[in-house]
Amino acid sequence: MGRAGQDALSRTALGVFRLNGQFLSVSEELAAPAGLTAAWWQVLGAVLPEPLPVAGIARVMGITRQSVQRIADLLVREGLAAYEPNPAHRRAKLLAPTGAGRAAVREIEPGHARLAAALLRELGGQEAFDETVRVLDRLSAALDAAGADLGTDLGAE
């Protein structure tokens, strides 16, 4: 591979770390007025389309099951989500948003829409935004494959 490949990996990692920090910061700002944290919003967002087990949420989000479990328990305690029976697995309950959880996420929508519009403008239009998403998806898939080649699981638990 050589030094150029290692340098590219380092620059990519630093860029992704910076993006992660930027996304976390803006997500905290968007979520706060709704009484959510960025992490709570992220977990609720994962189960808006359909209830999922904690392990499934962790896989989608690329974080540990234990982290999701802590957040899920807090969401349930706050009445923003509920555990439901899982027909596919007796012990692994499904997490589903409650009406209050859905309402909290809806409160974030106007700020989310403004941010999306600003990013669309800054990136130069929908095609460029879509290409950005494709590149990030390719990078994630390549990292998963590289981890498999190394005998390492580079995703969540």
Side-chain angles (χ1 to χ4, degrees):
M1 165 168 80
R3 189 73 218 162
Q6 287 178 293
D7 289 344
L9 173 58
S10 295
R11 287 191 316 273
T12 300
L14 290 172
V16 170
F17 294 153
R18 180 166 186 231
L19 274 172
N20 182 58
Q22 290 171 304
F23 272 113
L24 287 175
S25 178
V26 75
S27 295
E28 289 292 349
E29 288 178 35
L30 290 173
L36 300 176
T37 67
W40 290 19
W41 178 22
Q42 204 174 8
V43 171
L44 278 173
V47 297
L48 286 176
E50 66 178 341
L52 292 171
V54 166
I57 299 166
R59 267 191 303 281
V60 168
M61 293 174 57
I63 61 176
T64 67
R65 187 195 59 73
Q66 291 88 345
S67 295
V68 174
Q69 186 68 63
R70 282 191 299 274
I71 295 165
D73 289 344
L74 288 168
L75 290 170
V76 169
R77 188 179 78 210
E78 296 294 322
L80 298 168
Y83 289 116
E84 299 179 345
N86 183 349
H89 194 285
R90 195 177 333 162
R91 286 186 20 217
K93 302 242 182 268
L94 300 173
L95 185 71
T98 62
R102 288 183 183 281
V105 172
R106 275 194 304 275
E107 282 186 55
I108 298 169
E109 286 300 316
H112 188 264
R114 283 191 305 276
L115 177 60
L119 286 174
L120 185 74
R121 184 178 59 253
E122 291 297 322
L123 289 169
Q126 190 64 54
E127 188 175 317
F129 209 156
D130 291 343
E131 180 60 19
T132 300
V133 172
R134 281 191 295 276
V135 168
L136 291 171
D137 286 344
R138 264 183 52 216
L139 179 59
S140 181
L143 197 52
D144 282 343
D149 289 349
L150 297 171
T152 305
D153 180 8
L154 296 177
E157 292 188 318

